Each structure stands twice: as C-alpha cells, then as structure tokens.
C-alpha cells in the first residue's frame, strides 16, 4: 500500500521536475547576455578610395572614433541631399565635441562622381563629411562589403541609381554597430553618436 502511494506520487513529481528543467533551459536561452565586445559582423571591411580633396582614404584612417557611412550619388534628386543635410545638422549640434566625428558619403556612381564633382557637391554641407569615390572596381568592392544594393536605372536623359538609403554606424575600431537614425532631432542624434566616442 505504501509502495502504491509512492508510485502515484512519483509520476507527478517526475513531471514537475522535468518541467522545471525545461523552463530553466528556456529562460537561459532567452536571456540577452551582454558581451564586453560586440559580435563580429560581416558588414564593412577594408577599402581604398579617394576623397573629394584627392587624398587616398582607407578604413585605417578612420580608426579611433565612431563614424557614419552613407552610400549615394551627386545626381540624386532627394534622398541624398536630405541625408547629407541631416548629417550636417548632427555635426553642427555636436559642436566642438564632434571634431573627431566623420561621416562618409560614398558614391555608387563612380562614372560621374569624380573627386572634383564630389568636392563641388559637398561644399554645401559640413566639411567633416568626406566624399569618397574611386574606380568602378573599388566602388563595387566597398558596395559588396557593406552589403549595399546599388543598380543603374536607364532614364530618358541618361540614367539614375537605385541604392540602399541606410546610414551605417561603425565603431571606433571600424566594426559595424547598427543602422543609424538621422531622422531624429539633431541634438538627440548627436548625443547618440557622441556616446560611442
């Protein structure tokens, strides 16, 4: 009789213990364990391009401070000038604290966007914005490493470019952090970017 009662208790007890173990496993798998180092990302990488001033710029030149990367082209009718204006406003809001910050504007249209064209175009924006161009092969390589969509679209008077409009946030070691929202108030966006210094 005692054995029957133990047997009847054993099954619910065993079921309870298995449930506790499974719940523990589920909780552990859902917990976001913060790492000291960000997870290595496959976005970004080495590049060698030319600035609007004719200087050679590589990813190594940007180490030591966070930077933003935006891909576009000088014949862009709306998205690119709007984004560059927002980037300029962020840098203005950052003031002297933002002297180390850099924003890269990388062309997806190397046929038309020579360093001279980029210099003229970017003269309307903050001087901390670096325009980068290069050979079609060099541009294709950075477009691929940042996983950017860019495609030439024929028009009645030539062509335009479809392209990714995301702004990439890279940390001080040149590693991809996330997309960066420039649509916020400039002081809010500046404070966010400065927090990565």
């Amino acid at each position: 009789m005692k054995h029957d009662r133990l047997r009847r208790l054993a099954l619910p007890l065993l079921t309870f213990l298995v449930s506790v173990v499974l719940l523990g496993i589920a909780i552990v798998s859902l917990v976001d364990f913060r790492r000291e180092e960000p997870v290595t990302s496959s976005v970004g990488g080495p590049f060698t391009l030319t600035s609007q001033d004719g200087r050679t710029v590589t990813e190594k030149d940007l180490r030591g401070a966070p930077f933003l990367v935006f891909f576009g082209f000088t014949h862009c009718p709306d998205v690119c000038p709007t984004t560059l204006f927002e980037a300029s406003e962020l840098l203005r809001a950052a003031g002297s604290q933002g002297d180390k910050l850099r924003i890269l504007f990388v062309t997806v249209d190397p046929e038309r966007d020579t360093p001279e064209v980029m210099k003229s175009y970017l003269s309307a924006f903050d001087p901390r914005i670096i325009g980068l161009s290069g050979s079609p092969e060099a541009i294709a390589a950075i477009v691929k490493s940042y996983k950017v969509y860019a495609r030439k679209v024929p028009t009645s008077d030539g062509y335009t470019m479809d392209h990714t409009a995301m702004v990439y946030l890279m940390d001080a070691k040149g590693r991809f952090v996330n997309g960066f929202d420039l649509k916020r108030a400039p002081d809010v966006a500046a404070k966010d970017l400065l927090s990565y210094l």
Side-chain angles (χ1 to χ4, degrees):
M1 189 185 239
K2 191 176 179 184
H3 289 333
D4 288 341
R5 196 167 58 191
L6 285 174
R7 232 177 283 147
R8 275 182 299 179
L9 289 173
L11 185 58
L13 183 61
L14 184 61
T15 304
F16 173 75
L17 289 174
V18 168
S19 299
V20 168
V21 168
L22 290 175
L23 181 62
I25 291 169
I27 289 170
V28 167
S29 69
L30 291 173
V31 171
D32 179 19
F33 291 102
R34 301 284 175 193
R35 301 169 191 246
E36 297 247 337
E37 292 290 318
V39 177
T40 303
S41 171
S42 61
V43 173
F47 63 83
T48 302
L49 296 171
T50 305
S51 76
Q52 72 264 44
D53 297 319
R55 290 180 300 107
T56 297
V57 177
T58 74
E59 77 290 348
K60 293 174 188 165
D61 298 318
L62 300 159
R63 301 254 169 94
F67 59 97
L68 301 179
V69 184
F70 175 68
F71 291 81
F73 63 117
T74 63
H75 287 73
C76 180
D78 42 36
V79 174
C80 301
T82 300
T83 302
L84 291 168
F85 172 77
E86 291 164 346
S88 295
E89 288 296 286
L90 177 157
L91 291 168
R92 182 191 54 75
S96 60
Q97 280 186 290
D99 286 347
K100 285 187 175 181
L101 299 176
R102 295 293 177 267
I103 297 177
L104 306 184
F105 175 58
V106 183
T107 185
V108 293
D109 185 13
E111 288 177 41
R112 295 185 290 195
D113 290 344
T114 63
E116 297 77 24
V117 169
M118 294 286 272
K119 184 170 187 171
S120 174
Y121 182 74
L122 289 172
S123 65
F125 303 102
D126 191 284
R128 287 171 282 188
I129 297 174
I130 302 169
L132 294 177
S133 59
S135 67
E137 295 77 22
I139 294 299
I142 191 171
V143 161
K144 183 177 180 182
S145 70
Y146 275 79
K147 300 187 175 11
V148 170
Y149 167 78
R151 186 173 69 91
K152 187 185 284 191
V153 179
T155 62
S156 58
D157 58 348
Y159 68 90
T160 188
M161 299 294 296
D162 275 351
H163 63 91
T164 301
M166 177 176 157
V167 178
Y168 297 77
L169 169 60
M170 311 301 284
D171 71 12
K173 293 184 178 177
R175 298 171 301 194
F176 175 67
V177 177
N178 212 333
F180 191 83
D181 180 12
L182 279 175
K183 302 293 179 195
R184 298 170 282 177
D187 57 329
V188 174
K191 185 177 179 183
D192 186 7
L193 186 55
L194 288 167
S195 73
Y196 290 90
L197 276 174

